[in-house]
Amino acid sequence: MPRPRFLLLALVLAATGGAASAQVPVPSPRVQLQDEAPSQSYALAATLLANGRVEEATALLEDLYAANPADVAVLIKLEEAYVAGRRFDDLVGLVDRRIVREGRTAELLASRGTALARADRPDEADRAWTEALAIDPDDPQTVRSVVNALGELRLFDRAADVLAEGRERLGDAISALELAHVYGLALDYPRAVDLYLEALADDPALRPTVQTRLTRLVAGQGAPEAFAAAFQRAATLDPLDRGVRELQAWLALEQGQYDVALDAVRALDRLEREQGQSLVAFADQANAAGATDVAARALDEVLERHPDGPVAPIARLARARLWDAQARADRERADLGPTPAADAARDAYAAVLDADPADPRRPAVALALADLLRDVYRAYDDAERWLGEAAAGRDVGVTSQARLTLGEVALRRGDLDAARQRFADVDEAVRIGPLAEQARYELALIDFYEGFMYSALARAEALDENTAADAANDAIALRVTLNDALDPEAMPGPDVDLTGDPLHVYGRAALRHRRGLYGEALATLDSLDATAGLAHALADESLYLRASVQLADGAPEASVATLDQLLDRHPDSFFVDRALRSQAETYETQLDDPTAAAERYDRLLERFPGSPLAPEAREVLRRLRAALNS
């Protein structure tokens, strides 16, 4: 019985080479098979073959096949065993016996050609394939049998020629999509893309399939150029072909050509008389790829051309979030100078909130506006008003985040009692997850700020180290700071004055930094260094905090220099990977020095490949190198 074959599956497997099997324990085979069920013998043979014990597997499979030649699973596995053992003449004999038993079918002759080619008998292989094609030349399955056989040998150029000849003779019985796939395997990108476009013209619903197939090929040498040329020809012939325009946009995004992609999507919007839908979707893709300026232009066009369209509310909020992100990247702060991006974000958020009081996005928008008011303008009263609205919504995630932020606002005001209560309420209400971990970390910090150092240490140690939450990593840093300075065997009594204790002074500096009192924070750190010297137990923490305060206060050069002191004086500090990351970010975003940024990320990854900061560092470093090399 001929075994079933499927063209696309067979050629894809041949192109990828299959997957290697894992090594598993194998029992020694028993000599006698008569008392053993065939299924057990087959399973044992498959395991032996997977573990490289080819001769033993082959012997079992030959016995099983002799007992039941109609068992297709055994036949396929026996062929695999012959190939693995390079017993190609035996493979030819196996096919020849099948031909005697089942007749000279196109599929068996194609298989014979494959076996002969493996046995290094090319002339005989060619004759077998030619005979296979002559069996029933008007049957597309005849052609596919030979194409499959050639594909198994990775002879994709020849397979494509055979399939193309068959399509020329049989027409649509062999589809353009089918032939395009084989040309792609043969790395003939111009022919492949032309055929994919032919298939797309006949059936526009195939665009996702075509795009998926082209995605697999686009990294090939010359593929992007071939695709772009084909798309341009097709767009010139039919400017209204939506599928082609979408493929043009996709290819441009794949190549990082965001302006070209925007032009293609803009053409879609106009030619299809859309109301911004494609532009909004493109803006989301571009923003995710880091092309925020192009995303902003796409959204601006939606709001200019379709201000009352169905996607205008989505575009308006997306644009507000881009302005918000820009304000934070530029470290805008109202007390340091103009805040153009933050002002635009604030007005856009307000417009969204004013447009529809029943908008289900309202709590999330209120939360975003409150964050902006808190961080950029320090408008704590207005922030608390919007946080109160966000906390009253139905979205549990937004509600919990708003309540957590209310605690943070109270902390910034210096009302530690109110902050403690709000964080405790979040912890009680949420109990598990990142927000609960963050609330517990904030409670540990408040203990630290207020001088309850042993309580702070106990809270920090209780946080889950295995969570991926940022709070867990921050809690580790807090534990390091506390352990560096505390003597667990010598808890001070209630009458001991700890006002000048280095850990308590450091805690006061950290609180002032958190509250945005940067001048006072630096003065406190100066007093710490003056009284404790430069070699005290918290010297590295003090330098790291000083750099953080300087950066927040608008002095990036001073921050980088301070971190250089930390790296030089304390090369084994827990804070070295954080210092390198901070320097890298500062060089990139504040000092416009991507080369220095890349060097710092390189140092971080070389010295701390297992750091929690490493995955993000690798991603940013790849982006920086691509930009530097472009």
Side-chain angles (χ1 to χ4, degrees):
M1 178 179 73
R3 57 173 170 151
R5 294 172 182 259
F6 300 94
L7 174 64
L8 298 183
L9 176 60
L11 291 180
V12 168
L13 289 176
T16 58
S21 302
Q23 294 290 317
V24 296
V26 185
S28 298
R30 289 173 291 184
V31 176
Q32 299 297 324
L33 290 175
Q34 59 268 28
D35 297 326
E36 189 174 61
S39 61
Q40 293 174 325
S41 299
Y42 175 81
L44 177 57
T47 304
L48 288 165
L49 186 60
N51 283 270
R53 294 164 64 173
V54 178
E55 291 185 7
E56 296 164 277
T58 304
L60 281 172
L61 290 165
E62 285 176 333
D63 287 339
L64 287 170
Y65 183 68
N68 184 9
D71 191 326
V72 175
V74 171
L75 169 65
I76 293 172
K77 192 61 66 176
L78 179 56
E79 289 178 342
E80 291 178 15
Y82 281 149
V83 172
R86 305 192 63 79
R87 292 173 56 179
F88 300 127
D89 288 331
D90 289 330
L91 181 61
V92 173
L94 179 64
V95 179
D96 284 344
R97 291 193 298 275
R98 292 185 64 202
I99 290 174
V100 170
R101 187 172 62 252
E102 301 174 31
R104 302 180 75 79
T105 66
E107 184 176 9
L108 284 176
L109 288 169
S111 295
R112 187 172 191 272
T114 302
L116 289 164
R118 292 188 189 280
D120 198 21
R121 295 155 65 179
D123 292 339
E124 295 176 76
D126 287 342
R127 287 197 295 273
W129 288 324
T130 300
E131 185 179 354
L133 288 170
I135 290 288
D136 189 354
D138 294 330
D139 184 354
Q141 287 304 119
T142 296
V143 178
R144 292 188 180 106
S145 294
V146 176
V147 171
N148 275 330
L150 292 165
E152 287 183 20
L153 298 170
R154 303 181 64 82
L155 300 175
F156 298 124
D157 287 330
R158 188 165 176 184
D161 290 342
V162 170
L163 194 61
E165 291 170 4
R167 186 167 189 259
E168 185 176 349
R169 185 174 63 255
L170 301 176
D172 290 339
I174 294 173
S175 71
L177 199 67
E178 194 173 4
L179 181 54
H181 176 66
V182 181
Y183 273 130
L185 293 174
L187 309 184
D188 190 339
Y189 302 123
R191 288 180 177 173
V193 68
D194 284 342
L195 284 161
Y196 277 127
L197 289 177
E198 179 184 327
L200 184 62
D202 291 338
D203 184 1
L206 287 174
R207 191 198 62 77
T209 300
V210 169
Q211 183 173 315
T212 299
R213 298 276 184 87
L214 293 176
T215 299
R216 297 172 186 159
L217 303 177
V218 73
Q221 184 175 2
E225 294 80 5
F227 295 173
F231 296 161
Q232 186 57 50
R233 288 195 301 272
T236 301
L237 289 173
D238 184 0
L240 299 178
D241 190 325
R242 180 183 181 88
V244 171
R245 294 292 186 181
E246 288 176 334
L247 287 173
Q248 282 183 311
W250 159 78
L251 179 62
L253 280 172
E254 284 282 327
Q255 297 302 110
Q257 299 171 343
Y258 300 109
D259 289 324
V260 176
L262 178 56
D263 287 341
V265 176
R266 186 183 289 119
L268 271 176
D269 185 73
R270 291 175 176 170
L271 294 173
E272 295 280 329
R273 297 184 180 180
E274 290 186 355
Q275 297 187 65
Q277 291 91 337
S278 292
L279 284 164
V280 168
F282 167 77
D284 185 58
Q285 291 177 293
N287 184 44
T292 54
D293 56 334
V294 179
R297 296 210 308 271
L299 294 170
D300 287 341
E301 184 157 342
V302 173
L303 295 173
E304 289 169 8
R305 298 186 61 230
H306 313 289
D308 300 316
V311 297
I314 299 173
R316 194 167 290 113
L317 179 56
R319 191 64 180 93
R321 294 194 186 281
L322 286 180
W323 273 315
D324 192 333
Q326 180 183 339
R328 296 177 188 282
D330 294 343
R331 293 186 177 271
E332 291 185 355
R333 222 174 61 225
D335 60 323
L336 293 178
T339 55
D343 293 346
R346 178 193 59 197
D347 294 344
Y349 283 138
V352 173
L353 291 166
D354 291 342
D356 182 6
D359 190 331
R361 304 173 301 168
R362 187 177 180 86
V365 177
L367 175 60
L369 177 56
D371 283 342
L372 189 72
L373 292 168
R374 175 199 62 185
D375 294 336
V376 176
Y377 302 97
R378 299 187 183 178
Y380 298 137
D381 289 342
D382 290 339
E384 284 189 325
R385 177 168 62 86
W386 289 114
L387 287 169
E389 180 171 337
R394 295 183 178 180
D395 187 314
V396 175
V398 172
T399 296
S400 299
Q401 183 62 60
R403 294 172 67 187
L404 188 75
T405 307
L406 280 166
E408 211 274 338
V409 170
L411 193 155
R412 297 234 191 149
R413 289 183 184 277
D415 189 347
L416 299 190
D417 289 337
R420 183 186 293 277
Q421 185 60 55
R422 289 172 178 176
F423 291 136
D425 288 344
V426 173
D427 181 23
E428 178 67 23
V430 181
R431 293 190 176 275
I432 60 173
L435 288 178
E437 293 287 311
Q438 184 66 37
R440 292 171 194 141
Y441 172 64
E442 295 287 359
L443 290 169
L445 280 179
I446 291 176
D447 282 344
F448 172 61
Y449 296 148
E450 293 190 317
F452 304 125
M453 301 303 180
Y454 289 93
S455 175
L457 180 59
R459 287 185 186 274
E461 288 177 338
L463 283 168
D464 184 1
E465 291 187 23
N466 296 319
T467 179
D470 291 339
N473 295 323
D474 292 337
I476 294 172
L478 178 59
R479 289 207 305 271
V480 169
T481 297
L482 293 168
N483 284 319
D484 280 350
L486 288 176
D487 182 354
E489 304 298 328
M491 185 179 297
D495 298 329
V496 177
D497 182 9
L498 296 173
T499 304
D501 173 70
L503 183 58
H504 287 69
V505 176
Y506 178 83
R508 290 196 296 274
L511 175 58
R512 286 162 183 165
H513 170 230
R514 184 76 181 276
R515 293 188 60 200
L517 306 174
Y518 303 125
E520 294 181 29
L522 289 173
T524 305
L525 289 170
D526 288 341
S527 70
L528 173 61
D529 292 342
T531 57
L534 297 179
H536 58 86
L538 298 174
D540 53 339
E541 284 96 333
S542 178
L543 285 169
Y544 186 77
L545 179 57
R546 181 182 294 275
S548 300
V549 175
Q550 290 167 331
L551 186 61
D553 201 31
E557 295 91 346
S559 176
V560 167
T562 299
L563 291 173
D564 279 337
Q565 294 178 44
L566 189 158
L567 297 171
D568 291 341
R569 297 177 189 171
H570 309 282
D572 298 321
S573 168
F574 171 83
F575 293 91
V576 168
D577 61 339
R578 294 172 179 237
L580 290 169
R581 194 267 301 269
S582 179
Q583 285 187 321
E585 290 179 340
T586 304
Y587 275 123
E588 181 186 6
T589 63
Q590 301 292 299
L591 301 178
D592 195 24
D593 190 345
T595 301
E599 187 271 335
R600 291 307 194 277
Y601 280 125
D602 256 332
R603 286 171 60 184
L604 191 161
L605 292 170
E606 181 178 353
R607 186 167 174 193
F608 305 100
S611 166
L613 308 179
E616 181 183 358
R618 289 189 186 94
E619 182 178 342
V620 177
L621 183 58
R622 281 194 294 268
R623 174 172 54 77
L624 286 172
R625 283 175 172 165
L628 289 169
N629 294 330
S630 63

